[in-house]
Amino acid sequence: MAAEEHHDDHGNTVSAWFLTVTWIVAWTVAAVAIIFGGSLITWAGIALGASVLFSIIAGVMKKAGLGRKEARPVPPTREEWEAARELAASK
């Protein structure tokens, strides 16, 4: 049986949630504005600009310590996975 990995945050960080919520709000506002007769190009541009701005803010939040503390683990290659599987089966 493979050893279980422990992840403290599972992506649940302040910066990640900020980015997710603000993108949902920005694109929902744009969609509602378009439905009620707003210009598609105008509102899509506003939402896209807001998305870029929010991405920059989330990046600053991450650098300030509100994001993932360490890099994501790199998954094994197919060869590494097969070798580990064979090793575990031989024990």
Side-chain angles (χ1 to χ4, degrees):
M1 184 177 338
E4 292 189 31
E5 294 182 26
H6 178 70
H7 301 286
D8 289 335
D9 61 12
H10 293 281
N12 296 326
T13 63
V14 176
S15 64
W17 279 107
F18 168 80
L19 188 59
T20 301
V21 170
T22 55
W23 277 7
I24 290 171
V25 170
W27 287 99
T28 301
V29 168
V32 170
I34 291 166
I35 289 169
F36 285 113
S39 169
L40 173 69
I41 300 298
T42 301
W43 282 101
I46 290 170
L48 184 60
S51 295
V52 170
L53 176 65
F54 294 142
S55 296
I56 293 168
I57 293 170
V60 170
M61 291 172 71
K62 182 178 177 183
K63 293 287 185 187
L66 298 174
R68 183 179 289 276
K69 304 294 186 235
E70 52 192 53
R72 289 186 191 272
V74 177
T77 63
R78 172 101 185 180
E79 293 78 18
E80 292 170 339
W81 180 81
E82 287 175 348
R85 187 172 172 209
E86 287 176 14
L87 182 64
S90 67
K91 287 186 178 182

